[in-house]
Amino acid sequence: MNILFLCTGNSCRSILGEATFNHLAPEGWHAMSAGSKPTGYVHPRSLALLAKEGITTDSYYSKSWDNLPVTPDIVITVCSSAAGETCPAYLGPVIRTHWGVEDPAHVMGTDEEIEAAFYKAYHTLRARIEAFFQLPLEQLKNDKAALKASMDDIAATIT
């Protein structure tokens, strides 16, 4: 199954989601990320955080949802502005859920406060991804309504 983490800029949260998902994913599950208005770069703090967590950062870059290598099965929006956007028509019938996370790239303050915001975003996404992998995925792959409901529940209970 192909998962798309979708955000506006594709520099922080969607990259953190993609990298963490792929790091934890069992065989047969793959994540990608994209933005509706990509910034063209991955935020250096996102890359540094992933590296500190032992997650490879070599292949991650900011990209548009217009250039996806495959059509996703599931689209997870991770920012408020992306949640209300219409997914491109070529995505077709996909499961959509919203796992909103505050954007650490917009946090102002001390280095410690900014780093704390990045870690909060990462830990929220990681906890949700870990909860996702605890679901009976083989069973839920055949019940899209139940899979969507389970993913919506994850967002509602892990904040």
Side-chain angles (χ1 to χ4, degrees), residues 92-109:
V94 299
I95 298 168
R96 292 177 180 86
T97 191
H98 180 62
W99 286 4
V101 177
E102 292 297 317
D103 189 353
H106 293 123
V107 171
M108 304 297 271

Side-chain angles (χ1 to χ4, degrees), residues 76-100:
I76 301 172
T77 52
V78 292
C79 56
S80 299
S81 57
E85 292 173 336
T86 302
C87 290
Y90 69 82
L91 288 178
V94 299
I95 298 168
R96 292 177 180 86
T97 191
H98 180 62
W99 286 4

Side-chain angles (χ1 to χ4, degrees), residues 117-136:
F118 273 84
Y119 269 92
K120 183 176 188 317
Y122 166 75
H123 286 295
T124 299
L125 288 166
R126 183 172 181 123
R128 290 174 179 171
I129 292 164
E130 288 173 346
F132 176 79
F133 287 129
Q134 294 301 311
L135 296 172

